[in-house]
Amino acid sequence: MFTMNQIKSFIAFLALVPFLALTEAAAQNSTNPYAIVEGWAKLPNGRVMGAVGKAKVDPDGHHIWAIVRCDAGPELFGYECVESDLDPVLKFDPDGNVVESFGSGMFIWPHGIDVDSDGNVWVTDAVSENNIPEGDNRGHHVVKFSPTGEVLMTLGTPGEEGVGPNHFTSPSDVAISSNGDVFIADGHNADGNNRVVKYNSSGEFLMSWGETGYAPGQFRALHAIAIDPKGRVFVGDRSNSRIQIFDQEGQHSATWTQFGRPSGIAFDEQGRIYVADSESDNVQNPGYEMGIRIGEAETGWVKEFIRFPWANPNILPGNGAEFVTVDIDGSIYGGEPVPNPHINERTLRKYMRVRP
């Protein structure tokens, strides 16, 4: 026979079980049904892989678009494309071969990418103001390309930072909704604009929300933005080590911290969310490991975790995939911009699912 106090204690424990399980799964879940496909991404004509930014699956579900920042030299980090004639926007076929490329000379530090339902490619230039050469009119803008590289639209004022409807300051990422509305994560730095800017499909300013801070609806370095199949807007509020979720009018609905320090966010059609965490080190987010967390987009429950085998929490600001995308077969692709100290490479890495 249980006493009333024992029953109350048991009920209180049951109420804590989901929270405890979620927290443990977020930080320590080692279930990893993926294997690395070595050497998947191959560049033509002896080109050396530069820093890899965001990757995005094509509407066909099989080809992968990615930002590859021109020159490979780490000494140029932050402005790799400033004097390069290499194309930074690359399209890979399922075997990892480049089948399309464009964007030469248009960006200094290309960073985010999205592909809309018509196959048009949207690219952000997140270069910092102090990395723009005097007189250069690139940076702080977002460009819409056709699938073959024709410029269709430019948002922002190239070469000019700002906070108004027609200016950005180091925009990190871009996401296109099913109706063609455009959402810009503005910007890359913790002390930047820290807002989401929304336009319609014609490039007309609709609204913006957000400011610097720690409260719901405030941000510190918007590093990623993505729209789930239900139309919710997920923002990777990286320097606050959290994801914030909004409707498309900027109304906040939830904050998730169980996915670590989010650098990249993606979804599949089976209701899963994929979050790349390349910066949960011993300083910036202690207690979490670097890797790719996979969970339920509806509930936020973390189910699987790809731990970067070379991850070292003592290396700042971390290493491994910053961005993530997933193809129609369930394979994951992670863009790695920082040279890994153990394997000394930057790459677009493929992870193939090998277990149910």
Side-chain angles (χ1 to χ4, degrees), residues 32-38 40 94-95 306 326-327 329-333 349-356:
N32 178 13
Y34 293 85
I36 293 174
V37 180
E38 297 291 353
W40 178 79
D95 294 322
I306 302 174
V326 56
D327 69 19
D329 298 318
S331 293
I332 297 172
Y333 303 81
R349 195 177 303 279
K350 179 177 180 178
Y351 300 84
M352 180 176 290
R353 194 172 188 93
V354 294
R355 297 198 306 273

Side-chain angles (χ1 to χ4, degrees), residues 74 278 290 308-321 336-347 349:
S278 63
M290 290 174 279
F308 300 140
W310 52 84
N312 184 343
N314 297 310
I315 297 175
L316 309 182
N319 51 73
E336 300 181 15
V338 180
N340 187 295
H342 300 287
I343 56 181
N344 194 30
E345 68 174 359
R346 296 160 163 169
T347 190
R349 195 177 303 279

Side-chain angles (χ1 to χ4, degrees), residues 42-226:
K42 299 170 280 291
L43 300 186
N45 304 319
R47 177 175 171 177
V48 177
M49 186 72 75
V52 182
K54 186 179 178 181
K56 180 71 176 183
V57 68
D58 188 78
D60 69 9
H62 298 286
H63 288 76
I64 304 297
W65 291 90
I67 297 296
V68 178
R69 294 191 200 118
C70 304
D71 302 310
E75 70 279 0
L76 298 176
F77 189 79
Y79 55 102
E80 287 97 318
C81 294
V82 66
E83 294 182 351
S84 177
D85 60 358
L86 295 173
D87 288 332
V89 184
L90 277 60
K91 182 181 183 181
F92 294 84
D93 69 15
D95 294 322
N97 301 302
V98 175
V99 294
E100 183 65 80
S101 69
F102 48 78
S104 171
M106 295 192 63
F107 305 98
I108 295 177
W109 204 53
H111 192 272
I113 189 172
D114 197 18
V115 185
D116 64 29
S117 59
D118 295 322
N120 300 309
V121 181
W122 300 71
V123 178
T124 76
D125 193 332
V127 64
S128 298
E129 182 68 18
N130 57 3
N131 284 339
I132 301 177
E134 185 176 355
D136 199 308
N137 64 351
R138 292 174 293 173
H140 307 307
H141 66 302
V142 180
V143 180
K144 175 185 179 182
F145 296 95
S146 73
T148 55
E150 177 187 358
V151 176
L152 302 178
M153 183 186 301
T154 298
L155 297 177
T157 303
E160 294 183 14
E161 65 176 4
V163 297
N166 299 312
H167 285 84
F168 308 119
T169 298
S170 304
S172 288
D173 201 8
V174 55
I176 314 302
S177 71
S178 59
N179 72 350
D181 285 347
V182 183
F183 295 81
I184 310 293
D186 180 35
H188 187 271
N189 304 312
D191 58 353
N193 285 349
N194 285 313
R195 62 177 182 163
V196 175
V197 191
K198 178 181 178 181
Y199 299 85
N200 66 19
S201 59
S202 299
E204 298 171 336
F205 173 82
L206 297 178
M207 65 177 297
S208 66
W209 73 85
E211 61 184 359
T212 302
Y214 301 87
Q218 297 180 330
F219 309 101
R220 295 174 59 248
L222 292 82
H223 198 269
I225 191 166

Side-chain angles (χ1 to χ4, degrees), residues 270-289:
Q270 284 70 51
R272 288 185 287 259
I273 180 174
Y274 301 75
V275 181
D277 175 3
S278 63
E279 290 195 355
S280 281
D281 49 51
N282 285 341
V283 173
Q284 297 177 109
N285 196 28
Y288 284 77
E289 294 184 280

